[in-house]
Amino acid sequence: MANLLDFVNNEISQKKDFPAFSAGDTITVYYEIKEGEKTRTQFFKGVVIQRRGTGATETFTIRKMSGAVGVERIFPVNMPALQKIELNQRGKVRRARIYYFRDLTGKKAKIKERRG
């Protein structure tokens, strides 16, 4: 039964070539928004808090600061509206899910860049 589900998920989901990213990385996600009959491209730039799930149900959470308010958004990897993902900076973190990042402010909220 599990093999059947995997087969259906692989057939339905569209494979897009996105760069490999993980928690702590700063990325820009470009996605399409439909307003009435018009469509436009919008971007969301922030730090990846987590990646969750596998296959067709995989998602990732991005956090950015909008003024003094933190904004988080969850994107499914297989979302048809996703156009491209740009990797801006690789972050050096020790955990796969950096929930503690929500509580940090000022200089403490800076993530060091990973070399290589």
Side-chain angles (χ1 to χ4, degrees):
M1 187 66 178
N3 293 338
L4 183 62
L5 287 175
D6 290 339
F7 175 74
V8 171
N9 285 336
N10 290 335
E11 289 296 317
I12 292 174
S13 66
Q14 299 172 348
K15 299 290 184 206
K16 295 184 180 177
D17 294 331
F18 294 136
F21 61 92
S22 60
D25 296 349
T26 303
I27 63 173
T28 306
V29 177
Y30 293 87
Y31 57 99
E32 205 171 76
I33 290 185
K34 292 180 182 169
E35 296 173 337
E37 295 181 11
K38 297 181 197 170
T39 61
R40 65 183 177 88
T41 301
Q42 187 169 338
F43 69 91
F44 193 91
K45 180 178 180 180
V47 177
V48 178
I49 297 290
Q50 70 170 349
R51 285 189 77 156
R52 160 179 269 160
T54 58
T57 61
E58 185 177 1
T59 61
F60 58 96
T61 305
I62 301 181
R63 179 179 177 83
K64 75 172 183 177
M65 293 302 291
S66 180
V69 179
V71 179
E72 289 187 11
R73 176 134 189 199
I74 299 171
F75 289 98
V77 172
N78 294 319
M79 186 166 88
L82 278 186
Q83 292 181 339
K84 70 176 178 174
I85 296 176
E86 282 181 357
L87 184 61
N88 302 103
Q89 178 182 357
R90 290 205 170 275
K92 182 182 177 188
V93 293
R94 294 181 175 187
R95 297 173 183 233
R97 302 199 172 153
I98 54 174
Y99 296 133
Y100 66 88
F101 190 67
R102 296 172 175 160
D103 300 327
L104 303 180
T105 56
K107 283 187 179 180
K108 292 182 221 166
K110 234 181 181 127
I111 295 178
K112 290 183 180 178
E113 187 171 0
R114 183 174 49 176
R115 301 284 177 183

